[in-house]
Amino acid sequence: MQPGATTCTEDRIQHALERCLHGLSLSRHAASWSAGLCLNCWSLQELVSRDPGHFLILLEQILRKTREVQEKGTYDLLMPLALLFYSTVLCTPHFPPDSDLLLQASRTYHRFLAWPVPYCSISQEMLTFIDAELKAPGISYQRLVRAEQGLPIRRHRSSTV
């Protein structure tokens, strides 16, 4: 495949991501959310859930778009992209051993620390999440399930190292 060339699946995922972000800009005249945004998000989730490899493609697309947001200074898209990245990582069934997506994400979100509040706070939360996932893959998902189910969360450290 030629450099810069994409597959049909990558193009479809990129288009679905763009549809999810369309209309979220503060410069839009409509100040209310539309049902179309929810439908676009649902369509993106359905498309990605068809194959475990699609999650990695979506993560790459989200990081690409996040870097674009940083270059353009588009403040209003940082939070939706961060939420999409967070939820996609939680849903990703497996990261290949040679994948450096989380390291790329760490470098990407680190650049936002110089942005004003609340954007630097969002970045800090993402960096904490990414760091936890790098140390123990799947830990965020386990904690989320425990919290949703009301299961006790151990606060003390294990005696085994």
Side-chain angles (χ1 to χ4, degrees):
M1 190 181 293
Q2 298 174 352
T6 59
T7 65
C8 180
T9 301
E10 289 171 336
D11 290 341
R12 290 175 67 199
I13 290 173
Q14 180 179 358
H15 177 73
L17 176 62
E18 293 293 333
R19 293 299 308 153
C20 285
L21 298 174
H22 180 75
L24 293 180
S25 175
L26 293 176
S27 62
R28 302 283 300 175
H29 297 294
S32 63
W33 289 70
S34 69
L37 294 175
C38 295
L39 185 58
N40 289 334
C41 243
W42 178 82
S43 298
L44 177 63
Q45 290 171 351
E46 285 298 309
L47 175 62
V48 170
S49 67
R50 293 178 186 170
D51 182 349
H54 292 176
F55 287 98
L56 300 176
I57 294 170
L58 178 57
L59 288 171
E60 289 171 354
Q61 294 292 335
I62 292 170
L63 287 176
R64 180 196 55 78
K65 187 68 175 178
T66 303
R67 286 188 289 270
E68 184 180 307
V69 161
Q70 199 258 343
E71 290 169 6
K72 292 181 179 179
T74 316
Y75 290 94
D76 47 346
L77 292 180
L78 179 61
M79 178 54 111
L81 285 167
L83 286 172
L84 280 170
F85 184 83
Y86 176 82
S87 65
T88 304
V89 168
L90 288 179
C91 294
T92 302
H94 173 70
F95 280 97
D98 61 338
S99 174
D100 66 341
L101 278 171
L102 291 177
L103 291 173
Q104 287 178 30
S106 181
R107 287 190 295 269
T108 299
Y109 284 103
H110 187 62
R111 295 179 191 140
F112 289 98
L113 290 175
W115 279 30
V117 173
Y119 308 104
C120 63
S121 301
I122 294 167
S123 176
Q124 185 59 51
E125 289 292 324
M126 290 303 297
L127 289 170
T128 301
F129 165 71
I130 292 166
D131 186 52
E133 285 298 310
L134 284 169
K135 288 178 182 174
I139 192 70
S140 300
Y141 179 75
Q142 291 177 13
R143 289 177 180 161
L144 181 67
V145 169
R146 284 183 178 157
E148 285 178 348
Q149 299 298 318
L151 300 173
I153 300 172
R154 294 189 327 185
R155 300 268 184 228
H156 57 84
R157 301 181 95 183
S158 175
S159 60
T160 52
V161 176

Short mmCIF file of all heavy atoms in Angstrom, two decimals, residues 66-105:
data_model
loop_
_atom_site.label_atom_id
_atom_site.label_comp_id
_atom_site.label_asym_id
_atom_site.label_seq_id
_atom_site.Cartn_x
_atom_site.Cartn_y
_atom_site.Cartn_z
N THR A 66 -7.19 14.71 17.12
CA THR A 66 -6.80 15.45 18.33
C THR A 66 -5.57 16.31 18.05
O THR A 66 -5.51 17.47 18.49
CB THR A 66 -6.52 14.47 19.49
OG1 THR A 66 -7.69 13.67 19.72
CG2 THR A 66 -6.17 15.21 20.76
N ARG A 67 -4.62 15.78 17.29
CA ARG A 67 -3.45 16.59 16.92
C ARG A 67 -3.87 17.76 16.03
O ARG A 67 -3.36 18.87 16.15
CB ARG A 67 -2.40 15.72 16.23
CG ARG A 67 -1.66 14.80 17.20
CD ARG A 67 -0.50 14.09 16.54
NE ARG A 67 -0.92 13.07 15.61
CZ ARG A 67 -1.13 11.79 15.93
NH1 ARG A 67 -0.96 11.38 17.17
NH2 ARG A 67 -1.50 10.92 15.03
N GLU A 68 -4.83 17.52 15.15
CA GLU A 68 -5.36 18.58 14.28
C GLU A 68 -6.04 19.67 15.13
O GLU A 68 -5.87 20.86 14.86
CB GLU A 68 -6.36 17.96 13.31
CG GLU A 68 -6.93 18.91 12.29
CD GLU A 68 -7.91 18.19 11.37
OE1 GLU A 68 -7.54 17.15 10.78
OE2 GLU A 68 -9.06 18.67 11.25
N VAL A 69 -6.78 19.26 16.14
CA VAL A 69 -7.44 20.20 17.05
C VAL A 69 -6.38 21.05 17.76
O VAL A 69 -6.55 22.26 17.91
CB VAL A 69 -8.32 19.44 18.07
CG1 VAL A 69 -8.65 20.28 19.29
CG2 VAL A 69 -9.59 18.94 17.40
N GLN A 70 -5.30 20.41 18.17
CA GLN A 70 -4.23 21.13 18.86
C GLN A 70 -3.57 22.15 17.94
O GLN A 70 -3.32 23.29 18.33
CB GLN A 70 -3.20 20.13 19.39
CG GLN A 70 -2.32 20.68 20.48
CD GLN A 70 -0.95 21.08 19.99
OE1 GLN A 70 -0.52 20.68 18.92
NE2 GLN A 70 -0.29 21.89 20.78
N GLU A 71 -3.33 21.76 16.70
CA GLU A 71 -2.70 22.67 15.74
C GLU A 71 -3.59 23.87 15.42
O GLU A 71 -3.12 24.99 15.29
CB GLU A 71 -2.37 21.92 14.45
CG GLU A 71 -1.25 20.91 14.60
CD GLU A 71 -1.12 20.00 13.40
OE1 GLU A 71 -1.83 20.20 12.38
OE2 GLU A 71 -0.32 19.05 13.47
N LYS A 72 -4.90 23.63 15.31
CA LYS A 72 -5.84 24.69 14.95
C LYS A 72 -6.34 25.47 16.17
O LYS A 72 -6.95 26.52 16.02
CB LYS A 72 -7.04 24.12 14.20
CG LYS A 72 -6.71 23.58 12.83
CD LYS A 72 -7.94 23.05 12.16
CE LYS A 72 -7.64 22.54 10.78
NZ LYS A 72 -8.85 22.01 10.12
N GLY A 73 -6.11 24.94 17.37
CA GLY A 73 -6.61 25.60 18.57
C GLY A 73 -8.12 25.54 18.69
O GLY A 73 -8.75 26.45 19.20
N THR A 74 -8.72 24.43 18.26
CA THR A 74 -10.16 24.25 18.30
C THR A 74 -10.55 23.70 19.67
O THR A 74 -10.68 22.50 19.86
CB THR A 74 -10.62 23.28 17.19
OG1 THR A 74 -9.95 23.60 15.98
CG2 THR A 74 -12.12 23.35 16.99
N TYR A 75 -10.73 24.58 20.62
CA TYR A 75 -10.98 24.19 22.00
C TYR A 75 -12.19 23.28 22.18
O TYR A 75 -12.18 22.35 22.96
CB TYR A 75 -11.19 25.44 22.88
CG TYR A 75 -9.95 26.25 23.10
CD1 TYR A 75 -9.65 27.33 22.28
CD2 TYR A 75 -9.09 25.95 24.13
CE1 TYR A 75 -8.52 28.09 22.48
CE2 TYR A 75 -7.95 26.71 24.35
CZ TYR A 75 -7.66 27.78 23.53
OH TYR A 75 -6.54 28.52 23.74
N ASP A 76 -13.26 23.58 21.47
CA ASP A 76 -14.53 22.90 21.70
C ASP A 76 -14.55 21.42 21.30
O ASP A 76 -15.45 20.70 21.69
CB ASP A 76 -15.68 23.64 21.03
CG ASP A 76 -15.38 24.04 19.60
OD1 ASP A 76 -14.21 24.00 19.20
OD2 ASP A 76 -16.32 24.41 18.89
N LEU A 77 -13.56 20.95 20.56
CA LEU A 77 -13.55 19.54 20.17
C LEU A 77 -12.67 18.66 21.05
O LEU A 77 -12.69 17.45 20.92
CB LEU A 77 -13.10 19.40 18.71
CG LEU A 77 -14.08 19.95 17.67
CD1 LEU A 77 -13.52 19.76 16.27
CD2 LEU A 77 -15.43 19.29 17.80
N LEU A 78 -11.92 19.27 21.97
CA LEU A 78 -11.02 18.47 22.81
C LEU A 78 -11.80 17.50 23.70
O LEU A 78 -11.47 16.32 23.77
CB LEU A 78 -10.12 19.36 23.65
CG LEU A 78 -9.16 18.60 24.58
CD1 LEU A 78 -8.23 17.71 23.77
CD2 LEU A 78 -8.37 19.56 25.43
N MET A 79 -12.83 17.97 24.37
CA MET A 79 -13.59 17.11 25.28
C MET A 79 -14.27 15.96 24.55
O MET A 79 -14.14 14.81 24.97
CB MET A 79 -14.61 17.92 26.07
CG MET A 79 -15.45 17.07 27.00
SD MET A 79 -14.46 16.07 28.11
CE MET A 79 -14.84 16.85 29.63
N PRO A 80 -14.99 16.20 23.44
CA PRO A 80 -15.60 15.05 22.73
C PRO A 80 -14.55 14.03 22.27
O PRO A 80 -14.78 12.83 22.37
CB PRO A 80 -16.32 15.68 21.54
CG PRO A 80 -16.52 17.10 21.90
CD PRO A 80 -15.41 17.46 22.82
N LEU A 81 -13.42 14.50 21.78
CA LEU A 81 -12.37 13.58 21.34
C LEU A 81 -11.78 12.81 22.51
O LEU A 81 -11.50 11.62 22.39
CB LEU A 81 -11.28 14.34 20.58
CG LEU A 81 -11.66 14.78 19.18
CD1 LEU A 81 -10.66 15.79 18.65
CD2 LEU A 81 -11.76 13.59 18.25
N ALA A 82 -11.60 13.47 23.63
CA ALA A 82 -11.08 12.79 24.82
C ALA A 82 -12.06 11.71 25.29
O ALA A 82 -11.64 10.59 25.63
CB ALA A 82 -10.80 13.79 25.93
N LEU A 83 -13.35 12.03 25.28
CA LEU A 83 -14.35 11.03 25.68
C LEU A 83 -14.39 9.86 24.71
O LEU A 83 -14.50 8.70 25.12
CB LEU A 83 -15.73 11.68 25.77
CG LEU A 83 -15.96 12.58 26.98
CD1 LEU A 83 -17.29 13.31 26.85
CD2 LEU A 83 -15.90 11.79 28.27
N LEU A 84 -14.30 10.15 23.42
CA LEU A 84 -14.26 9.08 22.42
C LEU A 84 -13.03 8.20 22.60
O LEU A 84 -13.11 6.98 22.51
CB LEU A 84 -14.30 9.66 21.01
CG LEU A 84 -15.65 10.07 20.47
CD1 LEU A 84 -15.49 10.86 19.17
CD2 LEU A 84 -16.53 8.86 20.24
N PHE A 85 -11.89 8.83 22.86
CA PHE A 85 -10.66 8.07 23.06
C PHE A 85 -10.80 7.18 24.29
O PHE A 85 -10.49 5.98 24.25
CB PHE A 85 -9.45 9.00 23.20
CG PHE A 85 -8.15 8.27 23.30
CD1 PHE A 85 -7.51 7.83 22.16
CD2 PHE A 85 -7.59 7.99 24.53
CE1 PHE A 85 -6.31 7.12 22.25
CE2 PHE A 85 -6.41 7.28 24.64
CZ PHE A 85 -5.77 6.85 23.49
N TYR A 86 -11.27 7.75 25.39
CA TYR A 86 -11.43 7.02 26.64
C TYR A 86 -12.35 5.81 26.44
O TYR A 86 -12.00 4.68 26.81
CB TYR A 86 -11.99 7.97 27.71
CG TYR A 86 -12.31 7.32 29.02
CD1 TYR A 86 -11.31 7.09 29.96
CD2 TYR A 86 -13.61 6.94 29.33
CE1 TYR A 86 -11.60 6.50 31.18
CE2 TYR A 86 -13.91 6.35 30.56
CZ TYR A 86 -12.91 6.14 31.47
OH TYR A 86 -13.20 5.55 32.67
N SER A 87 -13.52 6.03 25.86
CA SER A 87 -14.48 4.94 25.69
C SER A 87 -13.97 3.89 24.71
O SER A 87 -14.21 2.70 24.89
CB SER A 87 -15.84 5.46 25.26
OG SER A 87 -15.77 6.05 23.98
N THR A 88 -13.23 4.31 23.70
CA THR A 88 -12.70 3.35 22.73
C THR A 88 -11.61 2.49 23.35
O THR A 88 -11.56 1.28 23.12
CB THR A 88 -12.16 4.07 21.48
OG1 THR A 88 -13.20 4.88 20.92
CG2 THR A 88 -11.68 3.08 20.43
N VAL A 89 -10.76 3.08 24.18
CA VAL A 89 -9.73 2.28 24.87
C VAL A 89 -10.40 1.27 25.78
O VAL A 89 -9.99 0.10 25.84
CB VAL A 89 -8.74 3.17 25.66
CG1 VAL A 89 -7.87 2.35 26.59
CG2 VAL A 89 -7.86 3.97 24.71
N LEU A 90 -11.46 1.68 26.50
CA LEU A 90 -12.15 0.75 27.38
C LEU A 90 -12.77 -0.41 26.61
O LEU A 90 -12.84 -1.53 27.11
CB LEU A 90 -13.25 1.47 28.16
CG LEU A 90 -12.79 2.42 29.26
CD1 LEU A 90 -13.99 3.06 29.93
CD2 LEU A 90 -11.93 1.72 30.29
N CYS A 91 -13.22 -0.15 25.37
CA CYS A 91 -13.87 -1.19 24.56
C CYS A 91 -12.90 -2.03 23.74
O CYS A 91 -13.28 -3.08 23.23
CB CYS A 91 -14.89 -0.55 23.62
SG CYS A 91 -16.27 0.21 24.46
N THR A 92 -11.67 -1.55 23.60
CA THR A 92 -10.69 -2.27 22.77
C THR A 92 -10.38 -3.61 23.42
O THR A 92 -9.91 -3.66 24.55
CB THR A 92 -9.41 -1.43 22.60
OG1 THR A 92 -9.75 -0.18 22.01
CG2 THR A 92 -8.40 -2.15 21.73
N PRO A 93 -10.64 -4.72 22.70
CA PRO A 93 -10.45 -6.04 23.30
C PRO A 93 -8.99 -6.40 23.52
O PRO A 93 -8.67 -7.14 24.45
CB PRO A 93 -11.11 -6.99 22.31
CG PRO A 93 -11.22 -6.24 21.04
CD PRO A 93 -11.22 -4.79 21.37
N HIS A 94 -8.09 -5.88 22.67
CA HIS A 94 -6.69 -6.30 22.78
C HIS A 94 -5.80 -5.30 22.06
O HIS A 94 -6.10 -4.88 20.94
CB HIS A 94 -6.51 -7.69 22.17
CG HIS A 94 -5.10 -8.15 22.08
ND1 HIS A 94 -4.37 -8.49 23.20
CD2 HIS A 94 -4.27 -8.31 21.04
CE1 HIS A 94 -3.15 -8.85 22.83
NE2 HIS A 94 -3.07 -8.75 21.52
N PHE A 95 -4.71 -4.93 22.70
CA PHE A 95 -3.68 -4.12 22.06
C PHE A 95 -2.54 -5.06 21.67
O PHE A 95 -2.03 -5.78 22.53
CB PHE A 95 -3.13 -3.04 23.01
CG PHE A 95 -4.00 -1.84 23.13
CD1 PHE A 95 -4.89 -1.71 24.18
CD2 PHE A 95 -3.93 -0.82 22.20
CE1 PHE A 95 -5.70 -0.60 24.30
CE2 PHE A 95 -4.73 0.29 22.30
CZ PHE A 95 -5.62 0.40 23.36
N PRO A 96 -2.16 -5.07 20.40
CA PRO A 96 -1.03 -5.91 20.01
C PRO A 96 0.24 -5.49 20.76
O PRO A 96 0.39 -4.32 21.11
CB PRO A 96 -0.86 -5.64 18.50
CG PRO A 96 -2.12 -4.99 18.07
CD PRO A 96 -2.71 -4.33 19.27
N PRO A 97 1.13 -6.42 21.04
CA PRO A 97 2.35 -6.09 21.78
C PRO A 97 3.19 -5.01 21.11
O PRO A 97 3.85 -4.23 21.80
CB PRO A 97 3.12 -7.41 21.83
CG PRO A 97 2.12 -8.47 21.53
CD PRO A 97 1.05 -7.84 20.71
N ASP A 98 3.15 -4.92 19.80
CA ASP A 98 3.97 -3.93 19.09
C ASP A 98 3.24 -2.59 18.91
O ASP A 98 3.79 -1.66 18.32
CB ASP A 98 4.40 -4.47 17.73
CG ASP A 98 3.23 -4.80 16.82
OD1 ASP A 98 2.11 -5.02 17.34
OD2 ASP A 98 3.43 -4.85 15.60
N SER A 99 2.03 -2.45 19.46
CA SER A 99 1.27 -1.21 19.33
C SER A 99 1.82 -0.14 20.26
O SER A 99 2.08 -0.39 21.43
CB SER A 99 -0.20 -1.46 19.67
OG SER A 99 -0.91 -0.25 19.66
N ASP A 100 2.00 1.05 19.70
CA ASP A 100 2.46 2.17 20.52
C ASP A 100 1.39 3.27 20.59
O ASP A 100 1.70 4.42 20.84
CB ASP A 100 3.77 2.72 19.98
CG ASP A 100 3.63 3.36 18.60
OD1 ASP A 100 2.64 3.07 17.91
OD2 ASP A 100 4.51 4.15 18.22
N LEU A 101 0.13 2.89 20.38
CA LEU A 101 -0.96 3.87 20.38
C LEU A 101 -1.08 4.61 21.70
O LEU A 101 -1.31 5.82 21.72
CB LEU A 101 -2.28 3.19 20.04
CG LEU A 101 -2.54 2.96 18.56
CD1 LEU A 101 -3.77 2.10 18.36
CD2 LEU A 101 -2.70 4.28 17.84
N LEU A 102 -0.94 3.90 22.80
CA LEU A 102 -1.07 4.58 24.10
C LEU A 102 0.10 5.53 24.34
O LEU A 102 -0.08 6.60 24.92
CB LEU A 102 -1.19 3.55 25.23
CG LEU A 102 -2.50 2.76 25.25
CD1 LEU A 102 -2.49 1.72 26.35
CD2 LEU A 102 -3.69 3.69 25.40
N LEU A 103 1.28 5.18 23.86
CA LEU A 103 2.43 6.10 23.99
C LEU A 103 2.22 7.33 23.11
O LEU A 103 2.53 8.45 23.52
CB LEU A 103 3.73 5.39 23.62
CG LEU A 103 4.19 4.31 24.60
CD1 LEU A 103 5.40 3.56 24.05
CD2 LEU A 103 4.51 4.92 25.95
N GLN A 104 1.69 7.12 21.90
CA GLN A 104 1.37 8.25 21.03
C GLN A 104 0.33 9.15 21.69
O GLN A 104 0.43 10.37 21.64
CB GLN A 104 0.82 7.76 19.69
CG GLN A 104 1.80 7.15 18.76
CD GLN A 104 1.10 6.66 17.49
OE1 GLN A 104 0.10 7.21 17.06
NE2 GLN A 104 1.65 5.62 16.89
N ALA A 105 -0.67 8.53 22.31
CA ALA A 105 -1.72 9.29 22.98
C ALA A 105 -1.13 10.10 24.14
O ALA A 105 -1.50 11.26 24.34
CB ALA A 105 -2.80 8.35 23.49
#
